[in-house]
Amino acid sequence: MTLQVFGLPVSRGVAIGRAVLVASSRVDVAHYFIAPDQIPHEIERLRQARDAVADEIERLKREVPDDAPPELVALLDVHLMLLHDETLTGATKQWITERHYNAEWALSAQLEVLARQFDEMEDDYLRERKADIEQVVERLLRAMSRQSVSTLAAVSQTRERDWGGEEPLVLIAGDIAPADMLQFKRSVFQGFVTDVGGRTSHTAIVARSMDIPAVVGAREASRLIRQDDWVIIDGDAGVVIVDPSPMVLEEYRFRQRQSQLERERLARLRHTPAVTLDGEQVALLANIELPQDAPAALAAGAVGVGLFRTEFLFMNRQGELPGEDEQYEAYRAAVEAMQGLPVTIRTVDVGADKPLERMSMSELRHEHTLNPALGLRAIRWSLSEPSMFRMQLRAILRASAHGKVRLLIPMLAHANEIRQTFEILARAKQQLRDAGVAHTDVEVGAMIEVPAAALQLPLFLRHFDFISIGTNDLIQYTLAIDRADEAVAHLYDPWHPAVLRLIADAIRLARQAGKDVSVCGEMAGEPAFTPLLLAMGLRSFSMHPSQIPAVKQRILRSDTQKLALHLASVLASDDPHAESKRLWTSGREAAAERAFSP
């Protein structure tokens, strides 16, 4: 039976494929595909975990006090029985063998199947046995997490492999952790659907960077959709269609073909300079997350990297931080891959929706922090770990010897944070000089993503060489909206007058001071905002490579002088979005109509 699930459209286009469910669990579970020759190894891991849990339960049975209720021993016997039941372990082996899931993912997938079966039972007693299955699976997952297996190495070896099946796949999940998104980034999935999240949640941002359709905040999607259901993801409307009719399926396949033709047309603009109708040159830069993303930036026509998010080098490591040499090699690889073009490297921005897994610092764990977006994150964490911070700064400075590197500091808000940052940077430079290690004096910039920073921008302009406006967090903090919370996602409004005035003032003050200013948040990659940002005076946009062609097309059709004439009326309006639409439909300016129209 066809059904529709509604959520938030966060990455445009249409995806059609079989559903692959990532079940939620109280235990952190790694999700990745394995190569065919790794299947026996994963099955052996499953067997070892089962034997370890069986031994643990047998030990518990032996230690049960004589005066304990008999039901306790009976319960342990039930868990032993479930542990050896083929519907659990046998079927899990099938997921490993047929779908090439790693053992943890396969076990979680089978738990999802069994949980649904228990939920559909009419007998109350049998239905409540689902909890026993969940407890057994949790024990197995914990046992596998204790195994001395390098999950990250396995992921690295298999992330590039081709999927052996013929049918396209789409991913359905309650939520997708940043670490898992990193693993899925070059995977076989045609699209994503999650129960939670907002338009600028990390899942949404990565989906846009992958240029694949995604719908987040779909609430019940992971409960309503079953493994292997045919699913259509409409990333334009925010609709997920499950088990579509042949007519609907054909209509969406036609839309897929049209979208592909449009992408191919825009791709022809790759070598066209981004120059407005009135001759203003605009720099279109790329946001990247790993050195391997650099070739895609060049292919899209980027003239540099405006934001290298280094936190992804710190994730998926079971709490073990990357060393200085490892970081240096990653930064050097990105710099060299950009072939002499500038690379802006942001220091690590962890916390909030990007916690480090299994860190000893409980403040970074989402479940231990009352409000992680307002907690120990970004520069606050770096300053609390000065030795780690110096290590990263040394690695970035060393990479600067191989090309043009700029350093970017996230989430600054206080004068003492600026002072401490430059003191630690000076110490890192001195350490390199003492060791005779090659490096250069890099330009240092500040992220403007906290309203306090935007409101005291003259202080920042006195200390920094450039600024970069992070609109995702600036909107979140200005409007007091958790951008990853679908319950308030409808209140996350980039068109809010207060947000636009902060951005306009920051761009104006930076230009007056003769300092470079760019926007590296999601607004930079959204063509609807391109004319407005151009009117504000912005001449440097940084976005995911996949977004560059559409933004470049809008720039080529824009006249900045005529757009600037309408800026004051847009900023003064209580509804800037409506005012911008009125400008393009009024017919007063042909250039404004060309620029502002979708």
Side-chain angles (χ1 to χ4, degrees), residues 275-282 511 530-539 541 554-555 557-567 591-592 595-596:
V275 180
T276 64
L277 293 173
D278 57 325
E280 288 287 319
Q281 290 191 341
V282 180
R511 286 171 61 90
T530 303
L532 183 58
L533 293 172
L534 288 172
M536 291 176 180
L538 187 70
R539 298 295 182 264
F541 296 65
R554 186 60 63 91
I555 289 170
R557 296 175 177 178
S558 298
D559 185 321
T560 62
Q561 294 183 25
K562 293 180 178 179
L563 287 172
L565 296 176
H566 304 298
L567 177 62
F596 279 98

PDB file of all heavy atoms in Angstrom, residues 275-282 511 530-539 541 554-555 557-567 591-592 595-596:
ATOM      1  N   VAL A 275      31.609  36.715 -12.989  1.00  0.00           N
ATOM      2  CA  VAL A 275      31.627  38.169 -13.128  1.00  0.00           C
ATOM      3  C   VAL A 275      30.202  38.641 -13.366  1.00  0.00           C
ATOM      4  O   VAL A 275      29.492  38.103 -14.216  1.00  0.00           O
ATOM      5  CB  VAL A 275      32.536  38.613 -14.289  1.00  0.00           C
ATOM      6  CG1 VAL A 275      32.544  40.128 -14.403  1.00  0.00           C
ATOM      7  CG2 VAL A 275      33.949  38.091 -14.093  1.00  0.00           C
ATOM      8  N   THR A 276      29.773  39.641 -12.622  1.00  0.00           N
ATOM      9  CA  THR A 276      28.408  40.145 -12.751  1.00  0.00           C
ATOM     10  C   THR A 276      28.257  40.963 -14.043  1.00  0.00           C
ATOM     11  O   THR A 276      29.244  41.278 -14.727  1.00  0.00           O
ATOM     12  CB  THR A 276      28.032  41.026 -11.553  1.00  0.00           C
ATOM     13  OG1 THR A 276      28.873  42.186 -11.554  1.00  0.00           O
ATOM     14  CG2 THR A 276      28.211  40.266 -10.250  1.00  0.00           C
ATOM     15  N   LEU A 277      27.024  41.335 -14.358  1.00  0.00           N
ATOM     16  CA  LEU A 277      26.744  42.106 -15.571  1.00  0.00           C
ATOM     17  C   LEU A 277      27.460  43.458 -15.563  1.00  0.00           C
ATOM     18  O   LEU A 277      27.802  43.986 -16.628  1.00  0.00           O
ATOM     19  CB  LEU A 277      25.232  42.323 -15.720  1.00  0.00           C
ATOM     20  CG  LEU A 277      24.398  41.062 -15.996  1.00  0.00           C
ATOM     21  CD1 LEU A 277      22.922  41.390 -15.941  1.00  0.00           C
ATOM     22  CD2 LEU A 277      24.769  40.449 -17.349  1.00  0.00           C
ATOM     23  N   ASP A 278      27.691  44.003 -14.363  1.00  0.00           N
ATOM     24  CA  ASP A 278      28.374  45.299 -14.278  1.00  0.00           C
ATOM     25  C   ASP A 278      29.868  45.154 -13.982  1.00  0.00           C
ATOM     26  O   ASP A 278      30.529  46.108 -13.544  1.00  0.00           O
ATOM     27  CB  ASP A 278      27.700  46.195 -13.232  1.00  0.00           C
ATOM     28  CG  ASP A 278      27.654  45.541 -11.856  1.00  0.00           C
ATOM     29  OD1 ASP A 278      27.488  44.313 -11.800  1.00  0.00           O
ATOM     30  OD2 ASP A 278      27.767  46.250 -10.843  1.00  0.00           O
ATOM     31  N   GLY A 279      30.411  43.953 -14.221  1.00  0.00           N
ATOM     32  CA  GLY A 279      31.853  43.758 -14.172  1.00  0.00           C
ATOM     33  C   GLY A 279      32.457  43.467 -12.825  1.00  0.00           C
ATOM     34  O   GLY A 279      33.692  43.503 -12.674  1.00  0.00           O
ATOM     35  N   GLU A 280      31.659  43.160 -11.820  1.00  0.00           N
ATOM     36  CA  GLU A 280      32.188  42.834 -10.494  1.00  0.00           C
ATOM     37  C   GLU A 280      32.634  41.372 -10.454  1.00  0.00           C
ATOM     38  O   GLU A 280      31.856  40.462 -10.739  1.00  0.00           O
ATOM     39  CB  GLU A 280      31.133  43.079  -9.418  1.00  0.00           C
ATOM     40  CG  GLU A 280      30.847  44.533  -9.141  1.00  0.00           C
ATOM     41  CD  GLU A 280      31.967  45.206  -8.372  1.00  0.00           C
ATOM     42  OE1 GLU A 280      32.516  44.584  -7.431  1.00  0.00           O
ATOM     43  OE2 GLU A 280      32.317  46.348  -8.716  1.00  0.00           O
ATOM     44  N   GLN A 281      33.899  41.141 -10.079  1.00  0.00           N
ATOM     45  CA  GLN A 281      34.401  39.778  -9.964  1.00  0.00           C
ATOM     46  C   GLN A 281      34.010  39.199  -8.604  1.00  0.00           C
ATOM     47  O   GLN A 281      34.122  39.876  -7.573  1.00  0.00           O
ATOM     48  CB  GLN A 281      35.917  39.746 -10.125  1.00  0.00           C
ATOM     49  CG  GLN A 281      36.383  40.046 -11.533  1.00  0.00           C
ATOM     50  CD  GLN A 281      37.857  39.759 -11.727  1.00  0.00           C
ATOM     51  OE1 GLN A 281      38.611  39.679 -10.753  1.00  0.00           O
ATOM     52  NE2 GLN A 281      38.275  39.597 -12.978  1.00  0.00           N
ATOM     53  N   VAL A 282      33.572  37.961  -8.606  1.00  0.00           N
ATOM     54  CA  VAL A 282      33.130  37.282  -7.382  1.00  0.00           C
ATOM     55  C   VAL A 282      33.932  35.995  -7.233  1.00  0.00           C
ATOM     56  O   VAL A 282      34.063  35.220  -8.194  1.00  0.00           O
ATOM     57  CB  VAL A 282      31.622  36.967  -7.421  1.00  0.00           C
ATOM     58  CG1 VAL A 282      31.184  36.265  -6.141  1.00  0.00           C
ATOM     59  CG2 VAL A 282      30.821  38.257  -7.638  1.00  0.00           C
ATOM     60  N   ARG A 511      34.375  45.683   4.751  1.00  0.00           N
ATOM     61  CA  ARG A 511      34.795  46.363   3.512  1.00  0.00           C
ATOM     62  C   ARG A 511      35.345  47.760   3.816  1.00  0.00           C
ATOM     63  O   ARG A 511      36.330  48.198   3.212  1.00  0.00           O
ATOM     64  CB  ARG A 511      33.628  46.425   2.532  1.00  0.00           C
ATOM     65  CG  ARG A 511      33.321  45.071   1.876  1.00  0.00           C
ATOM     66  CD  ARG A 511      32.031  45.119   1.070  1.00  0.00           C
ATOM     67  NE  ARG A 511      32.095  46.086  -0.011  1.00  0.00           N
ATOM     68  CZ  ARG A 511      32.523  45.820  -1.251  1.00  0.00           C
ATOM     69  NH1 ARG A 511      32.934  44.594  -1.549  1.00  0.00           N
ATOM     70  NH2 ARG A 511      32.527  46.761  -2.184  1.00  0.00           N
ATOM     71  N   THR A 530      21.708  34.764  -3.272  1.00  0.00           N
ATOM     72  CA  THR A 530      22.838  35.340  -4.003  1.00  0.00           C
ATOM     73  C   THR A 530      22.645  36.818  -4.328  1.00  0.00           C
ATOM     74  O   THR A 530      23.541  37.638  -4.060  1.00  0.00           O
ATOM     75  CB  THR A 530      23.114  34.528  -5.289  1.00  0.00           C
ATOM     76  OG1 THR A 530      23.343  33.151  -4.940  1.00  0.00           O
ATOM     77  CG2 THR A 530      24.328  35.072  -6.022  1.00  0.00           C
ATOM     78  N   PRO A 531      21.509  37.240  -4.894  1.00  0.00           N
ATOM     79  CA  PRO A 531      21.351  38.668  -5.194  1.00  0.00           C
ATOM     80  C   PRO A 531      21.423  39.549  -3.955  1.00  0.00           C
ATOM     81  O   PRO A 531      22.007  40.634  -3.991  1.00  0.00           O
ATOM     82  CB  PRO A 531      19.962  38.733  -5.845  1.00  0.00           C
ATOM     83  CG  PRO A 531      19.691  37.355  -6.314  1.00  0.00           C
ATOM     84  CD  PRO A 531      20.352  36.451  -5.331  1.00  0.00           C
ATOM     85  N   LEU A 532      20.832  39.093  -2.861  1.00  0.00           N
ATOM     86  CA  LEU A 532      20.833  39.885  -1.630  1.00  0.00           C
ATOM     87  C   LEU A 532      22.246  40.044  -1.084  1.00  0.00           C
ATOM     88  O   LEU A 532      22.654  41.145  -0.680  1.00  0.00           O
ATOM     89  CB  LEU A 532      19.924  39.230  -0.596  1.00  0.00           C
ATOM     90  CG  LEU A 532      19.746  39.974   0.733  1.00  0.00           C
ATOM     91  CD1 LEU A 532      19.199  41.370   0.497  1.00  0.00           C
ATOM     92  CD2 LEU A 532      18.837  39.188   1.664  1.00  0.00           C
ATOM     93  N   LEU A 533      23.021  38.970  -1.069  1.00  0.00           N
ATOM     94  CA  LEU A 533      24.402  39.041  -0.577  1.00  0.00           C
ATOM     95  C   LEU A 533      25.262  39.918  -1.491  1.00  0.00           C
ATOM     96  O   LEU A 533      26.130  40.656  -1.027  1.00  0.00           O
ATOM     97  CB  LEU A 533      24.989  37.640  -0.444  1.00  0.00           C
ATOM     98  CG  LEU A 533      24.347  36.759   0.631  1.00  0.00           C
ATOM     99  CD1 LEU A 533      24.862  35.323   0.539  1.00  0.00           C
ATOM    100  CD2 LEU A 533      24.613  37.323   2.030  1.00  0.00           C
ATOM    101  N   LEU A 534      25.025  39.836  -2.802  1.00  0.00           N
ATOM    102  CA  LEU A 534      25.744  40.707  -3.724  1.00  0.00           C
ATOM    103  C   LEU A 534      25.401  42.172  -3.453  1.00  0.00           C
ATOM    104  O   LEU A 534      26.274  43.044  -3.470  1.00  0.00           O
ATOM    105  CB  LEU A 534      25.395  40.348  -5.170  1.00  0.00           C
ATOM    106  CG  LEU A 534      25.968  39.036  -5.715  1.00  0.00           C
ATOM    107  CD1 LEU A 534      25.373  38.738  -7.086  1.00  0.00           C
ATOM    108  CD2 LEU A 534      27.489  39.085  -5.800  1.00  0.00           C
ATOM    109  N   ALA A 535      24.118  42.441  -3.204  1.00  0.00           N
ATOM    110  CA  ALA A 535      23.691  43.818  -2.912  1.00  0.00           C
ATOM    111  C   ALA A 535      24.343  44.333  -1.636  1.00  0.00           C
ATOM    112  O   ALA A 535      24.645  45.530  -1.514  1.00  0.00           O
ATOM    113  CB  ALA A 535      22.168  43.873  -2.798  1.00  0.00           C
ATOM    114  N   MET A 536      24.585  43.445  -0.662  1.00  0.00           N
ATOM    115  CA  MET A 536      25.246  43.843   0.584  1.00  0.00           C
ATOM    116  C   MET A 536      26.726  44.149   0.391  1.00  0.00           C
ATOM    117  O   MET A 536      27.373  44.691   1.285  1.00  0.00           O
ATOM    118  CB  MET A 536      25.101  42.725   1.626  1.00  0.00           C
ATOM    119  CG  MET A 536      23.697  42.515   2.137  1.00  0.00           C
ATOM    120  SD  MET A 536      23.650  41.096   3.284  1.00  0.00           S
ATOM    121  CE  MET A 536      21.896  41.065   3.749  1.00  0.00           C
ATOM    122  N   GLY A 537      27.266  43.752  -0.753  1.00  0.00           N
ATOM    123  CA  GLY A 537      28.679  43.995  -1.026  1.00  0.00           C
ATOM    124  C   GLY A 537      29.548  42.766  -0.929  1.00  0.00           C
ATOM    125  O   GLY A 537      30.778  42.861  -1.044  1.00  0.00           O
ATOM    126  N   LEU A 538      28.961  41.606  -0.727  1.00  0.00           N
ATOM    127  CA  LEU A 538      29.758  40.383  -0.606  1.00  0.00           C
ATOM    128  C   LEU A 538      30.343  40.017  -1.966  1.00  0.00           C
ATOM    129  O   LEU A 538      29.627  39.985  -2.974  1.00  0.00           O
ATOM    130  CB  LEU A 538      28.884  39.234  -0.085  1.00  0.00           C
ATOM    131  CG  LEU A 538      29.646  37.942   0.243  1.00  0.00           C
ATOM    132  CD1 LEU A 538      30.512  38.141   1.484  1.00  0.00           C
ATOM    133  CD2 LEU A 538      28.679  36.780   0.462  1.00  0.00           C
ATOM    134  N   ARG A 539      31.636  39.702  -1.982  1.00  0.00           N
ATOM    135  CA  ARG A 539      32.298  39.290  -3.220  1.00  0.00           C
ATOM    136  C   ARG A 539      33.066  37.979  -3.039  1.00  0.00           C
ATOM    137  O   ARG A 539      33.868  37.610  -3.901  1.00  0.00           O
ATOM    138  CB  ARG A 539      33.260  40.396  -3.692  1.00  0.00           C
ATOM    139  CG  ARG A 539      32.569  41.718  -4.009  1.00  0.00           C
ATOM    140  CD  ARG A 539      31.610  41.612  -5.190  1.00  0.00           C
ATOM    141  NE  ARG A 539      30.987  42.883  -5.510  1.00  0.00           N
ATOM    142  CZ  ARG A 539      29.779  43.249  -5.055  1.00  0.00           C
ATOM    143  NH1 ARG A 539      29.074  42.424  -4.281  1.00  0.00           N
ATOM    144  NH2 ARG A 539      29.277  44.427  -5.385  1.00  0.00           N
ATOM    145  N   PHE A 541      32.104  33.993  -1.789  1.00  0.00           N
ATOM    146  CA  PHE A 541      31.134  33.003  -1.325  1.00  0.00           C
ATOM    147  C   PHE A 541      31.854  31.660  -1.188  1.00  0.00           C
ATOM    148  O   PHE A 541      32.611  31.273  -2.074  1.00  0.00           O
ATOM    149  CB  PHE A 541      30.006  32.821  -2.338  1.00  0.00           C
ATOM    150  CG  PHE A 541      29.130  34.026  -2.576  1.00  0.00           C
ATOM    151  CD1 PHE A 541      29.637  35.189  -3.145  1.00  0.00           C
ATOM    152  CD2 PHE A 541      27.774  33.986  -2.271  1.00  0.00           C
ATOM    153  CE1 PHE A 541      28.828  36.290  -3.389  1.00  0.00           C
ATOM    154  CE2 PHE A 541      26.952  35.074  -2.500  1.00  0.00           C
ATOM    155  CZ  PHE A 541      27.477  36.234  -3.060  1.00  0.00           C
ATOM    156  N   ARG A 554      23.490  32.490 -11.187  1.00  0.00           N
ATOM    157  CA  ARG A 554      22.774  33.646 -10.652  1.00  0.00           C
ATOM    158  C   ARG A 554      23.672  34.897 -10.663  1.00  0.00           C
ATOM    159  O   ARG A 554      23.212  36.006 -10.952  1.00  0.00           O
ATOM    160  CB  ARG A 554      22.292  33.337  -9.237  1.00  0.00           C
ATOM    161  CG  ARG A 554      21.416  34.392  -8.609  1.00  0.00           C
ATOM    162  CD  ARG A 554      20.138  34.650  -9.402  1.00  0.00           C
ATOM    163  NE  ARG A 554      19.271  33.503  -9.487  1.00  0.00           N
ATOM    164  CZ  ARG A 554      18.298  33.227  -8.610  1.00  0.00           C
ATOM    165  NH1 ARG A 554      18.097  34.023  -7.590  1.00  0.00           N
ATOM    166  NH2 ARG A 554      17.541  32.169  -8.778  1.00  0.00           N
ATOM    167  N   ILE A 555      24.950  34.719 -10.371  1.00  0.00           N
ATOM    168  CA  ILE A 555      25.889  35.850 -10.386  1.00  0.00           C
ATOM    169  C   ILE A 555      26.020  36.423 -11.794  1.00  0.00           C
ATOM    170  O   ILE A 555      26.017  37.646 -11.997  1.00  0.00           O
ATOM    171  CB  ILE A 555      27.260  35.407  -9.843  1.00  0.00           C
ATOM    172  CG1 ILE A 555      27.179  35.151  -8.330  1.00  0.00           C
ATOM    173  CG2 ILE A 555      28.346  36.440 -10.158  1.00  0.00           C
ATOM    174  CD1 ILE A 555      28.398  34.478  -7.749  1.00  0.00           C
ATOM    175  N   ARG A 557      23.945  36.633 -14.026  1.00  0.00           N
ATOM    176  CA  ARG A 557      22.733  37.345 -14.432  1.00  0.00           C
ATOM    177  C   ARG A 557      22.451  38.580 -13.583  1.00  0.00           C
ATOM    178  O   ARG A 557      21.409  39.214 -13.736  1.00  0.00           O
ATOM    179  CB  ARG A 557      21.527  36.394 -14.337  1.00  0.00           C
ATOM    180  CG  ARG A 557      21.588  35.207 -15.275  1.00  0.00           C
ATOM    181  CD  ARG A 557      20.417  34.270 -15.032  1.00  0.00           C
ATOM    182  NE  ARG A 557      20.415  33.150 -15.964  1.00  0.00           N
ATOM    183  CZ  ARG A 557      19.523  32.162 -15.952  1.00  0.00           C
ATOM    184  NH1 ARG A 557      18.561  32.173 -15.045  1.00  0.00           N
ATOM    185  NH2 ARG A 557      19.580  31.183 -16.829  1.00  0.00           N
ATOM    186  N   SER A 558      23.362  38.910 -12.670  1.00  0.00           N
ATOM    187  CA  SER A 558      23.114  39.977 -11.703  1.00  0.00           C
ATOM    188  C   SER A 558      23.865  41.263 -12.052  1.00  0.00           C
ATOM    189  O   SER A 558      24.988  41.234 -12.560  1.00  0.00           O
ATOM    190  CB  SER A 558      23.531  39.529 -10.294  1.00  0.00           C
ATOM    191  OG  SER A 558      22.775  38.420  -9.876  1.00  0.00           O
ATOM    192  N   ASP A 559      23.237  42.388 -11.727  1.00  0.00           N
ATOM    193  CA  ASP A 559      23.845  43.706 -11.817  1.00  0.00           C
ATOM    194  C   ASP A 559      23.915  44.257 -10.392  1.00  0.00           C
ATOM    195  O   ASP A 559      22.899  44.643  -9.816  1.00  0.00           O
ATOM    196  CB  ASP A 559      23.008  44.616 -12.713  1.00  0.00           C
ATOM    197  CG  ASP A 559      23.657  45.975 -12.948  1.00  0.00           C
ATOM    198  OD1 ASP A 559      24.256  46.523 -11.991  1.00  0.00           O
ATOM    199  OD2 ASP A 559      23.581  46.494 -14.070  1.00  0.00           O
ATOM    200  N   THR A 560      25.105  44.272  -9.797  1.00  0.00           N
ATOM    201  CA  THR A 560      25.216  44.620  -8.379  1.00  0.00           C
ATOM    202  C   THR A 560      24.818  46.064  -8.092  1.00  0.00           C
ATOM    203  O   THR A 560      24.276  46.362  -7.023  1.00  0.00           O
ATOM    204  CB  THR A 560      26.655  44.379  -7.885  1.00  0.00           C
ATOM    205  OG1 THR A 560      27.560  45.207  -8.605  1.00  0.00           O
ATOM    206  CG2 THR A 560      27.057  42.918  -8.063  1.00  0.00           C
ATOM    207  N   GLN A 561      25.083  46.968  -9.040  1.00  0.00           N
ATOM    208  CA  GLN A 561      24.724  48.367  -8.801  1.00  0.00           C
ATOM    209  C   GLN A 561      23.210  48.539  -8.705  1.00  0.00           C
ATOM    210  O   GLN A 561      22.706  49.265  -7.830  1.00  0.00           O
ATOM    211  CB  GLN A 561      25.282  49.237  -9.924  1.00  0.00           C
ATOM    212  CG  GLN A 561      26.799  49.295  -9.956  1.00  0.00           C
ATOM    213  CD  GLN A 561      27.318  50.225 -11.036  1.00  0.00           C
ATOM    214  OE1 GLN A 561      26.627  51.152 -11.444  1.00  0.00           O
ATOM    215  NE2 GLN A 561      28.536  49.977 -11.498  1.00  0.00           N
ATOM    216  N   LYS A 562      22.481  47.875  -9.567  1.00  0.00           N
ATOM    217  CA  LYS A 562      21.023  47.993  -9.532  1.00  0.00           C
ATOM    218  C   LYS A 562      20.441  47.225  -8.351  1.00  0.00           C
ATOM    219  O   LYS A 562      19.455  47.664  -7.746  1.00  0.00           O
ATOM    220  CB  LYS A 562      20.438  47.501 -10.847  1.00  0.00           C
ATOM    221  CG  LYS A 562      20.800  48.402 -12.013  1.00  0.00           C
ATOM    222  CD  LYS A 562      20.226  47.913 -13.326  1.00  0.00           C
ATOM    223  CE  LYS A 562      20.587  48.882 -14.455  1.00  0.00           C
ATOM    224  NZ  LYS A 562      20.067  48.421 -15.763  1.00  0.00           N
ATOM    225  N   LEU A 563      21.077  46.108  -8.002  1.00  0.00           N
ATOM    226  CA  LEU A 563      20.614  45.370  -6.827  1.00  0.00           C
ATOM    227  C   LEU A 563      20.792  46.198  -5.557  1.00  0.00           C
ATOM    228  O   LEU A 563      19.927  46.195  -4.672  1.00  0.00           O
ATOM    229  CB  LEU A 563      21.385  44.054  -6.692  1.00  0.00           C
ATOM    230  CG  LEU A 563      21.042  42.941  -7.683  1.00  0.00           C
ATOM    231  CD1 LEU A 563      22.018  41.792  -7.532  1.00  0.00           C
ATOM    232  CD2 LEU A 563      19.621  42.456  -7.498  1.00  0.00           C
ATOM    233  N   ALA A 564      21.920  46.921  -5.472  1.00  0.00           N
ATOM    234  CA  ALA A 564      22.204  47.710  -4.273  1.00  0.00           C
ATOM    235  C   ALA A 564      21.161  48.800  -4.054  1.00  0.00           C
ATOM    236  O   ALA A 564      20.929  49.214  -2.911  1.00  0.00           O
ATOM    237  CB  ALA A 564      23.594  48.325  -4.378  1.00  0.00           C
ATOM    238  N   LEU A 565      20.509  49.269  -5.127  1.00  0.00           N
ATOM    239  CA  LEU A 565      19.488  50.295  -4.987  1.00  0.00           C
ATOM    240  C   LEU A 565      18.305  49.807  -4.164  1.00  0.00           C
ATOM    241  O   LEU A 565      17.598  50.619  -3.551  1.00  0.00           O
ATOM    242  CB  LEU A 565      19.006  50.744  -6.374  1.00  0.00           C
ATOM    243  CG  LEU A 565      20.046  51.419  -7.268  1.00  0.00           C
ATOM    244  CD1 LEU A 565      19.451  51.704  -8.641  1.00  0.00           C
ATOM    245  CD2 LEU A 565      20.566  52.698  -6.626  1.00  0.00           C
ATOM    246  N   HIS A 566      18.077  48.502  -4.161  1.00  0.00           N
ATOM    247  CA  HIS A 566      16.919  47.934  -3.470  1.00  0.00           C
ATOM    248  C   HIS A 566      17.265  47.345  -2.102  1.00  0.00           C
ATOM    249  O   HIS A 566      16.379  46.866  -1.405  1.00  0.00           O
ATOM    250  CB  HIS A 566      16.289  46.834  -4.336  1.00  0.00           C
ATOM    251  CG  HIS A 566      15.900  47.296  -5.701  1.00  0.00           C
ATOM    252  ND1 HIS A 566      14.959  48.267  -5.906  1.00  0.00           N
ATOM    253  CD2 HIS A 566      16.327  46.917  -6.933  1.00  0.00           C
ATOM    254  CE1 HIS A 566      14.818  48.469  -7.206  1.00  0.00           C
ATOM    255  NE2 HIS A 566      15.635  47.667  -7.844  1.00  0.00           N
ATOM    256  N   LEU A 567      18.553  47.376  -1.722  1.00  0.00           N
ATOM    257  CA  LEU A 567      18.960  46.744  -0.475  1.00  0.00           C
ATOM    258  C   LEU A 567      18.269  47.368   0.727  1.00  0.00           C
ATOM    259  O   LEU A 567      17.779  46.656   1.612  1.00  0.00           O
ATOM    260  CB  LEU A 567      20.477  46.835  -0.316  1.00  0.00           C
ATOM    261  CG  LEU A 567      21.040  46.266   0.995  1.00  0.00           C
ATOM    262  CD1 LEU A 567      20.746  44.777   1.110  1.00  0.00           C
ATOM    263  CD2 LEU A 567      22.543  46.535   1.091  1.00  0.00           C
ATOM    264  N   ALA A 591      17.043  44.191 -14.501  1.00  0.00           N
ATOM    265  CA  ALA A 591      18.158  43.459 -13.905  1.00  0.00           C
ATOM    266  C   ALA A 591      17.747  42.816 -12.600  1.00  0.00           C
ATOM    267  O   ALA A 591      18.152  41.692 -12.288  1.00  0.00           O
ATOM    268  CB  ALA A 591      19.338  44.394 -13.666  1.00  0.00           C
ATOM    269  N   ALA A 592      16.948  43.552 -11.800  1.00  0.00           N
ATOM    270  CA  ALA A 592      16.480  42.988 -10.540  1.00  0.00           C
ATOM    271  C   ALA A 592      15.607  41.783 -10.804  1.00  0.00           C
ATOM    272  O   ALA A 592      15.678  40.781 -10.093  1.00  0.00           O
ATOM    273  CB  ALA A 592      15.706  44.033  -9.752  1.00  0.00           C
ATOM    274  N   ALA A 595      17.827  38.868 -11.697  1.00  0.00           N
ATOM    275  CA  ALA A 595      18.661  38.414 -10.588  1.00  0.00           C
ATOM    276  C   ALA A 595      17.863  37.723  -9.512  1.00  0.00           C
ATOM    277  O   ALA A 595      18.283  36.702  -8.985  1.00  0.00           O
ATOM    278  CB  ALA A 595      19.420  39.596  -9.994  1.00  0.00           C
ATOM    279  N   PHE A 596      16.715  38.278  -9.160  1.00  0.00           N
ATOM    280  CA  PHE A 596      15.995  37.748  -8.008  1.00  0.00           C
ATOM    281  C   PHE A 596      15.084  36.582  -8.370  1.00  0.00           C
ATOM    282  O   PHE A 596      14.654  35.853  -7.492  1.00  0.00           O
ATOM    283  CB  PHE A 596      15.144  38.855  -7.352  1.00  0.00           C
ATOM    284  CG  PHE A 596      15.952  39.746  -6.449  1.00  0.00           C
ATOM    285  CD1 PHE A 596      16.421  40.965  -6.895  1.00  0.00           C
ATOM    286  CD2 PHE A 596      16.252  39.359  -5.163  1.00  0.00           C
ATOM    287  CE1 PHE A 596      17.163  41.788  -6.068  1.00  0.00           C
ATOM    288  CE2 PHE A 596      16.994  40.175  -4.323  1.00  0.00           C
ATOM    289  CZ  PHE A 596      17.452  41.383  -4.782  1.00  0.00           C
TER     290      PHE A 596
END
